[in-house]
Amino acid sequence: MPDSGETGRARESEIVGSAVGYDCGGRCPLKVQVKNGIIRRIEGDDGEPERQLRACLRCRAYRQVVYAPDRLRYPMKRVGERGEGRFGRISWAEALQTVAGELVRVKELHGNSSILLVSGGGNLGALGSSVNAYSRLLSLFGGFTTHYGNPSAEGAIVAARAQYGDLNAGNSREDLQNARLIILWGWDPAKMIGGTNTTYQLALAREAGAKIIAVDPKYTDTAAAYADRWIPVRPGTDAALIAALAYVMIKENLHDRAFLDSHTTGFKVYQDYVLGREDETPKTPAWAEAISGVPADTVERLAREYAAAKPAALMGGLGPQRSAAGEQFTRSVMTLAAMGGNVGVPGGSAGDGLQRIPLGEGNRNPGLAVPRNQVEAGGPSLRGSLDLSLRLARRVHWNKIWDAVLEGKNGDYPADFKLVIFCATNALNQMGNLNKGIKALKKIEFIIVPEIFMTPTAKFADILLPVPSHLERNDLYRPWPSGPYFVYGNKAVDPMYESKSDFQICCELAPLLGIKDYNLLGEDATLDSLMADAEDMNREIADLDKFRRDGVHRIGMPDQIVAFEQQINDPSGHPFPTPSGKIEIYSEKLAELNNPALPAIPKYVAGWEGPDDPQSQEYPLQLISDHCGRRTHSQLDNVPWLRELEPQTVWINTADAAVRGIRDGDLVSVFNDRGEMAIPARVTGRIMPGVVSIQEGSWHKPDRRGIDRGGCANVLTNDGYSPAGSFPANTCLVQVRKPGA
């Protein structure tokens, strides 16, 4: 196996321990079979069965990424109209000189704030993280503007900070075996993974006798494989359903009053809301049925089941919080978990959609140091405060980047943006309101895109820089959600063609920008230094050389880890990191904001583009854009082996299809005021009436009329955000019809 002192060229035949650093829910260790410098096969971990870290098909098919015929092979500059995808080959010297020249020009003419760095989760290694590489470069160059908001979980992040004061609110997956009831609420780990081995632990929990219920607009693969019952709910109405569950528990005295009295604050205020004392509207099961579509008797049954099962794991997913009022879902789930007395106990769940496991000091992963960004100097912490207005001062919400480019300072955005670097992101494809994005990208003066493929975003670049795959460089990875292991991704083969890592690109750009201290060690030595300096990691891993050779280190841990167990067992000695020291059902921090759209207690807040929106007369179907099992967001969409597994379709209920004359497999038009696509229909009973589903991440492929033929859901989605900054990918009204109908 190549070590940090070698070139990385494989010996004649070997097994290399490596990994892929995508933003999937696993980041699993891999065994890469290499012969004569060529990857022949990729297999998953083969450790002891109980702790085996099973890789899914995404990683097992990764050889087709490394050797894909459509990889970008050398630097290129645009020769056609922006967006046409026409480029000419240039040398690395010309590419780097051009990029450096444009950065200097824009800085001198417009200032550092007009340089916009847009980053994503396509490259999440300790060293190879494109975000850190370019952030360090641009910070040393004088600063830059960037964005805030987590596309996957912003609503859940704000909710967890408000209610618990801590993002590490997940029990280890092994603890599912202690639950008597597991409710999968908007959570489909068979597709989005949600931590390596989650589905395996669900299987073990079911074998141990746990009952599993899925609450979701769609009968997901996880529900089909593991659930005893499916309860379909209209998108964006989950908080109403939860309020009705709380109503039943309160009226029938099923809630854990002792737990609420000891460990929470503000339940009385929430109770007054639920019982209708606040607004004269009791949140009864009948009230919830009219909003959510869940029958009142089903609501009553679920409330009684949850209250009676102790312990019960209420697993709130991230899908429902990606809506127009998504933070209310997560706060509602956390409140229901407290009402059941299931927070901080084995077999329970704190209900937080992040589900990060509290592993203490071993939780952190070393990474490339980023100096203070001078454009943001003197401002408050953008991620450490619940006051969202503070974030807007110097950053742009991810879903408002297109507006920020189009409107600039005239729209009260931080700058008039002239140059954009898109790193580790297919942003055009993955942000709301794609057609507005096209207009924005045509306005920018200069666009730089380091990429491995000609993605929809890459087609709009002025300079394209080819980067290697994850198996063509050394790096260190930490799994999501804070899984109990580290992975060392050894370089299995040398970088293909003329590709250079983002870190290497920045090292070579630095002297052209007059930066002398970007890096003095080289790539492998820097990675060694990061690991050597990481006290948390060295406390856990005694032999770093062995870690490199093995490619994986499993953190020693008890049979299960339970979030907030100390706070519940010893509240005076271990208070919650909230103003009150307790679980804040009434959040003092949110109350201070005095924002009616972001109330101090969790409530059902009707979002835009729901079934009661006036637009529903023209666009009567609610679109959800859930995760796809064969992609990680938009990555891997072009891998042939994976494309064979599942075609890109629009799921539509049998009844909705019948009234439109649509049969399974028909090519249909899905459209609203923002865009239109042509896509095959999948007619099925696995999605509730009034709802359609298009899995996110498929690449945008417009025809001559601008109609998308690739099945990109963001042609249709909204580019707003919730009061807490949540992304409304699942708040979208559309119509579906056969062409010519």
Side-chain angles (χ1 to χ4, degrees), residues 74-114:
Y74 34 74
M76 294 189 289
K77 67 178 179 181
R78 177 169 60 86
V79 296
E81 293 296 319
R82 183 170 287 163
E84 283 186 335
R86 293 173 54 210
F87 291 86
R89 180 176 183 174
I90 58 175
S91 68
W92 267 106
E94 181 181 350
L96 294 173
Q97 287 286 354
T98 303
V99 169
E102 286 298 312
L103 284 167
V104 170
R105 178 187 69 82
V106 170
K107 176 180 179 178
E108 291 178 349
L109 291 178
H110 307 287
N112 282 85
S113 63
S114 64

Side-chain angles (χ1 to χ4, degrees), residues 51-67:
R51 301 202 68 188
Q52 194 177 111
L53 300 165
R54 297 163 177 81
C56 75
L57 294 175
R58 297 175 178 96
C59 282
R60 294 173 185 270
Y62 196 75
R63 185 162 65 94
Q64 285 204 327
V65 173
V66 178
Y67 300 117

Side-chain angles (χ1 to χ4, degrees), residues 28-39:
C28 307
L30 303 175
K31 293 187 177 296
V32 184
Q33 298 182 12
V34 180
K35 185 173 182 180
N36 297 325
I38 298 175
I39 297 171

